[in-house]
Amino acid sequence: MEMRGLMGGFYRISEWIMRLAVTNVLWAVCSIPFLFMVLSAVFFATDAATQTSMLIVAAVLAPFTLFPATAALFTLTRKWVMGEVDVPLLKTFFRGYKENYKQSLLGGLLYAALYTIIFVDFKVYWNQPSMQLISYLFVGFLFVLLVSMFNFFSMMVHYHMKTMQLIKNALLISIGRPFRSISTLIMACVVFYISLRFTFLFPFFTASIIGYISFWNFNIIYQKMQDQMEKQRAAAEQGDDASDGDAGPDDLVHVSGKK
């Protein structure tokens, strides 16, 4: 029997706390090699050279650990946003980890390369006083790449696409939907900032909350795109029969989604 009233509200809140915490812990455990190197670089590195070396190792480990774990996390947040809040956490997480491992690994390698290129270019221009203004352009590229990474994970768990298609479409959506991109980035930064103030959030809630927010924002974009496609298809069906041989909106609407 469903609980109602105040006790029902407390029960639902406790359920969400449990879902977010368990998912975040699973993500952290599967990302241990990457997180260990990052934390070591931040808290234990004695000089800049050692810190840089540790961060390079972390970047190398990210595609093999962080990206598959994040894909598994997004597998769960997708279920929640789509209304399937009672799915088994462990089974769904590790199924998402297994199913998306190869694609997340390839995407991780490409994103790691892009981040490296942007970081190197930023350092080159920053170290030249007459060219420092250009370095801020690469900061903008970094923000776009970060948002596109959120969209990449959202699309990976929602569509059947090749890796390069996912990255290309994630970048296009991030640029083509600037309001949603900025709102996703702002909300993620707010969650991260609050976590810096209350550090107990990092192992239990930070990643899962950011993942939920990211897919929730992506799903709004997806629904609007679907509505536009449906309107275009309806308009095309009412058009001249002579246009039947052309590629129609059905090519875009019927994208096979993951269940």
Side-chain angles (χ1 to χ4, degrees):
M1 183 176 180
E2 184 180 355
M3 300 178 65
R4 300 181 182 274
L6 185 61
M7 290 303 297
F10 280 126
Y11 178 74
R12 285 188 290 273
I13 290 172
S14 66
E15 278 192 319
W16 273 106
I17 291 174
M18 183 271 295
R19 288 187 193 107
L20 293 169
V22 170
T23 302
N24 205 97
V25 169
L26 289 172
W27 172 85
V29 169
C30 292
S31 305
I32 281 177
F34 169 83
L35 296 176
F36 175 78
M37 295 308 301
V38 170
L39 293 175
S40 298
V42 172
F43 295 107
F44 303 112
T46 56
D47 53 73
T50 303
Q51 186 178 61
T52 301
S53 299
M54 289 179 173
L55 291 176
I56 290 173
V57 173
V60 172
L61 291 172
F64 300 92
T65 57
L66 177 68
F67 273 72
T70 305
L73 183 148
F74 271 75
T75 301
L76 274 169
T77 58
R78 174 188 179 269
K79 294 288 187 182
W80 300 339
V81 172
M82 303 297 288
E84 301 177 56
V85 295
D86 293 323
V87 293
L89 298 179
L90 288 172
K91 181 180 178 180
T92 305
F93 182 92
F94 286 108
R95 184 177 63 196
Y97 189 98
K98 180 181 178 181
E99 290 178 352
N100 297 296
Y101 186 86
K102 181 178 179 181
Q103 202 161 43
S104 61
L105 169 60
L106 294 174
L109 292 171
L110 289 170
Y111 270 103
L114 291 172
Y115 278 120
T116 301
I117 292 169
I118 290 176
F119 179 75
V120 170
D121 287 339
F122 171 80
K123 293 287 288 184
V124 168
Y125 286 106
W126 182 256
N127 291 328
Q128 301 180 33
S130 61
M131 307 287 285
Q132 282 187 352
L133 189 61
I134 299 178
S135 65
Y136 291 105
L137 182 64
F138 290 98
V139 175
F141 289 157
L142 182 64
F143 288 147
V144 172
L145 195 63
L146 180 60
V147 175
S148 77
M149 192 168 65
F150 293 148
N151 288 326
F152 168 76
F153 286 117
S154 298
M155 296 179 73
M156 184 194 305
V157 300
H158 200 61
Y159 291 120
H160 289 292
M161 284 186 184
K162 294 181 179 179
T163 305
M164 289 306 299
Q165 286 180 306
L166 287 172
I167 293 177
K168 181 184 74 173
N169 289 327
L171 286 167
L172 289 174
I173 288 177
S174 302
I175 297 171
R177 305 282 176 163
F179 174 77
R180 286 292 164 189
S181 298
I182 293 171
S183 64
T184 299
L185 187 61
I186 289 175
M187 286 188 285
C189 289
V190 168
V191 173
F192 190 80
Y193 175 76
I194 293 173
S195 300
L196 290 175
R197 301 291 300 274
F198 304 96
T199 53
F200 72 89
L201 294 174
F202 277 113
F204 296 109
F205 298 106
T206 303
S208 54
I209 291 175
I210 291 176
Y212 185 92
I213 290 171
S214 300
F215 190 88
W216 174 75
N217 243 342
F218 166 79
N219 191 55
I220 293 174
I221 296 173
Y222 168 76
Q223 293 297 334
K224 288 182 178 179
M225 291 174 64
Q226 288 293 93
D227 291 341
Q228 291 174 0
M229 296 296 182
E230 291 293 344
K231 290 178 181 178
Q232 291 175 14
R233 183 173 63 177
E237 289 174 351
Q238 297 174 1
D240 191 359
D241 291 339
S243 63
D244 287 346
D246 298 333
D250 289 320
D251 300 321
L252 296 174
V253 173
H254 295 300
V255 178
S256 57
K258 296 185 179 179
K259 302 298 184 182

